Amino acid sequence: MTRVRLILLGPPGAGKGTQAARLAERLDVPAISTGDIFRQNVSDGTELGQLAQKYMDAGEYVPDEVTNHMVAARLAQPDAADGFLLDGYPRTAAQVDELDSILAAQGRELSHVVELTADTDEVVQRLLARAQDQGRADDTESVIRRRLEVYAEQTAPLVDVYSQRGLLVQVDGMGAVDEVTERLSTALA
Ligand code: AMP
């Protein structure tokens, strides 16, 4: 069976993590979240975690070399051989290039890029609510603002890159979680 090789793009707070987990289950591919891998490393106290934490706490991106190396290692795991869903990667032009090289070296290509769109006021509200629930260190108001700025500067331009390649599908991320999952499934069918 041919499985999807999918990127989920979208601003912080658009619901990527929640939808990635649901979609990955439906599509029978691993959901690979760079943010989750970094957070796991932070809580395990690894060297990678120590390096990443100062960037994460400030709402900045972890340097490309570090992130790229981590993703290359993850995509080389056997469970990603038939397909994957990347949540939160690539986020910069250099990461797009790295992902292209990783896939080209394996004779694979992306099958879909989905942009989960969201209203800015709504995402700020969601992130503030999540901060109260989950206590994430990078969910304070000033860090949230910085994360949205960094997204606009460095990641939003990737939408055009993938659109020019004819891979982009835009899905409205607002509304109930189940509704959004249905929209995503329809968009990928
Ligand atoms: P996320 O859970 O996807 O919002 O990621 C949380 C934080 O991890 C981000 O604010 C960044 O500091 C870091 N991070 C996650 N993915 C990347 C990436 N692709 N490139 C650089 N930093 C990342």
Side-chain angles (χ1 to χ4, degrees), residues 12-13 16 33-36 38-39 52 55-57 59-64 67 70-71 87-92 95 130 136 138 147:
K16 289 191 303 299
S33 156
T34 42
D36 282 352
F38 284 132
R39 279 184 289 279
Y55 297 99
M56 297 171 76
D57 287 352
E60 304 293 339
Y61 287 166
V62 177
D64 285 329
T67 308
M70 182 177 90
V71 171
D87 159 19
Y89 183 94
R91 268 171 146 112
T92 66
Q95 293 179 14
R130 184 172 78 188
R136 260 177 66 163
D138 59 352
R147 286 165 63 208

Side-chain angles (χ1 to χ4, degrees), residues 12-56:
K16 289 191 303 299
T18 305
Q19 296 298 339
R22 293 174 148 227
L23 269 187
E25 200 181 323
R26 284 196 187 191
L27 300 170
D28 195 23
V29 291
I32 300 176
S33 156
T34 42
D36 282 352
I37 303 175
F38 284 132
R39 279 184 289 279
Q40 186 65 50
N41 276 276
V42 170
S43 65
D44 292 347
T46 68
E47 213 172 303
L48 174 65
Q50 285 170 24
L51 189 152
Q53 185 165 24
K54 58 178 185 287
Y55 297 99
M56 297 171 76

Side-chain angles (χ1 to χ4, degrees), residues 4-22:
V4 295
R5 288 172 303 280
L6 168 76
I7 295 173
L8 200 52
L9 282 174
K16 289 191 303 299
T18 305
Q19 296 298 339
R22 293 174 148 227

